[in-house]
Amino acid sequence: TDRPRVLSGIQPTSGSFHLGNYLGAVRQWVALQDSHDAYYMVVDLHAITVEQDPATLRANTRASVAQLLGMGLDPERCTLFVQSHVPEHAQLGWVMNCMAGFGEAARMTQFKDKSAKQGSDRTTVGLFTYPILQVADILLYQADQVPVGEDQRQHVELTRDLAERFNHRYGPQPTFTVPSPYILKETAKVFDLQDPTAKMSKSASSAKGLVNLLDEPRVSAKKFRSAVTDTGTVVSFDEKEKPGVSNLLGIYSAISGRSVAELVEHFEGKMYGALKTELADAFSEWVAPIQERTQAYLDDPAALDEVLARGAEKARSVASETLATVYDRIGF
Ligand code: ADP
Ligand code: NA
């Protein structure tokens, strides 16, 4: 294939993805399946940088894959796999650890933020080297582009630096493709329904502010109906003055395919309550087939195993070739 290759991953850190994960990431993954040679993985190796209960991790990893399939990833059009099923990630991860400088790794702002929150006794060495495992994740597949949010740009820069360093040190033939970031649109940002100035987040949002894709429809309908707005009445898009209403309009637009302008016109002369109620209904209708497809995979473990086995096999055929070249050039 001459389509550019993309690689992206998502953590299996809860039983359900939320609306922000879909609109901010997975929706774009689905779109890239046809224009790109796409590799997508559930990054369970990254998940254990913080302590995980084994049974929960196993269940969440499978539920994550089922949801990705439910949201529209198609194993016929992309390579979908679980990171730990491809041992080359850990193997190349070690090699890249030995390419990175300690100071270079210590400058990663995500590490600094996360470790500051956890405190140094609870921060694992794995969290410190997590960006370097990401480097290996990307380079194993010779990815041309890496779809990431703005917050991950520094890790793609690190990937480029280490790829160039390796290529130079073990040249003259280049070993790795030097990838570029494919920054996902900021417009896809979803905000907390109870605090619309903060992003919707599984760790930071309250239960009422977080819309899980696997929530029962009546539960999410209630969350939309009790979303925090402002004291005004006119439905219009103004992220500064009306963050709550703007968030609801953005979500409604994304799931319905109708433009924000069209929605604003539709709600002319109606109040916020109408927006909330219609969005609650539209969301229930939109999420129903996603939930059905997800449930079908959860009810058929053999079918899910089959998808995972095929994905791992496809991924390994590429990853093992890269690793063999790397080992050879290093002198193993
Ligand atoms: P969380 O912030 O809930 O812990 P993750 O960090 O696991 O979610 O994010 C997984 C993916 O979902 C990332 O690509 C991230 O950019 C995207 N994402 C998470 N929350 C949002 C949001 N509120 N709006 C848009 N995208 C989001
Ligand atoms: Na996060």
Side-chain angles (χ1 to χ4, degrees):
T1 165
D2 48 12
R3 292 175 296 171
R5 184 171 288 168
V6 289
L7 180 284
S8 210
I10 195 157
Q11 293 222 26
T13 42
S14 86
S16 176
F17 289 126
H18 60 75
L19 193 52
N21 298 140
Y22 176 76
L23 293 178
V26 180
R27 184 169 65 144
Q28 277 88 333
W29 292 14
V30 173
L32 290 171
Q33 289 183 111
D34 298 315
S35 54
H36 288 67
D37 180 20
Y39 285 71
Y40 298 127
M41 59 179 177
V42 173
V43 293
D44 53 352
L45 295 182
H46 288 287
I48 65 162
T49 53
V50 295
E51 192 176 339
Q52 302 284 340
D53 170 67
T56 308
L57 177 62
R58 188 172 291 120
N60 287 351
T61 299
R62 294 182 70 88
S64 297
V65 175
Q67 287 171 85
L68 292 171
L69 293 163
M71 287 186 269
L73 291 190
D74 175 357
E76 302 294 332
R77 288 147 67 211
C78 71
T79 304
L80 174 62
F81 62 101
V82 171
Q83 189 183 26
S84 66
H85 296 179
V86 181
E88 285 82 0
H89 288 267
Q91 292 173 290
L92 185 62
W94 175 254
V95 172
M96 299 320 289
N97 274 335
C98 297
M99 296 299 298
F102 184 85
E104 197 172 31
R107 282 195 294 275
M108 293 298 118
T109 56
Q110 287 234 332
F111 170 75
K112 288 196 276 188
D113 293 349
K114 286 189 184 175
S115 59
K117 273 184 210 147
Q118 293 175 358
S120 68
D121 286 340
R122 287 186 53 226
T123 297
T124 64
V125 176
L127 186 71
F128 182 67
T129 62
Y130 167 113
I132 300 163
L133 181 57
Q134 260 189 359
V135 168
D137 296 340
I138 296 163
L139 297 182
L140 264 183
Y141 298 95
Q142 307 287 355
D144 301 295
Q145 292 166 0
V146 191
V148 286
E150 192 58 50
D151 58 338
Q152 293 281 319
R153 187 192 281 275
Q154 195 185 27
H155 295 173
V156 183
E157 287 304 321
L158 179 68
T159 308
R160 294 171 57 87
D161 291 345
L162 296 188
E164 278 165 359
R165 189 172 306 159
F166 191 101
N167 285 347
H168 183 254
R169 190 174 298 174
Y170 299 105
Q173 309 264 67
T175 303
F176 295 123
T177 301
V178 180
S180 349
Y182 180 100
I183 299 292
L184 300 172
K185 296 176 245 50
E186 269 298 297
T187 49
K189 200 173 224 173
V190 178
F191 296 90
D192 188 315
L193 293 189
Q194 289 298 312
D195 174 9
T197 57
K199 97 175 187 160
M200 186 178 286
S201 154
K202 66 175 168 271
S203 46
S205 293
S206 66
K208 283 175 72 187
L210 182 71
V211 180
N212 285 311
L213 293 181
L214 297 186
D215 276 348
E216 280 200 44
R218 57 176 180 79
V219 172
S220 32
K222 198 171 164 201
K223 291 180 188 178
F224 281 116
R225 282 197 307 267
S226 52
V228 166
T229 43
D230 54 74
T231 55
T233 52
V234 179
V235 175
S236 63
F237 192 85
D238 180 341
E239 286 178 297
K240 252 204 153 111
E241 300 298 324
K242 295 178 178 240
V245 170
S246 301
N247 187 37
L248 298 179
L249 283 169
I251 293 170
Y252 198 174
S253 169
I255 66 171
S256 67
R258 295 161 73 182
S259 71
V260 168
E262 187 188 332
L263 290 173
V264 167
E265 201 183 308
H266 170 75
F267 286 108
E268 215 180 285
K270 296 181 197 163
M271 311 261 246
Y272 293 168
L275 169 61
K276 294 180 190 178
T277 305
E278 270 193 44
L279 174 54
D281 292 345
F283 179 81
S284 299
E285 214 169 285
W286 172 82
V287 83
I290 294 179
Q291 292 191 348
E292 271 164 39
R293 286 192 296 262
T294 301
Q295 197 55 49
Y297 275 105
L298 292 176
D299 291 342
D300 189 352
L304 196 60
D305 287 341
E306 165 86 31
V307 168
L308 290 177
R310 276 179 52 207
E313 193 187 335
K314 276 169 75 184
R316 282 201 82 177
S317 71
V318 178
S320 62
E321 201 178 307
T322 302
L323 188 73
T325 305
V326 167
Y327 272 21
D328 181 59
R329 299 228 162 122
I330 288 177
F332 287 171

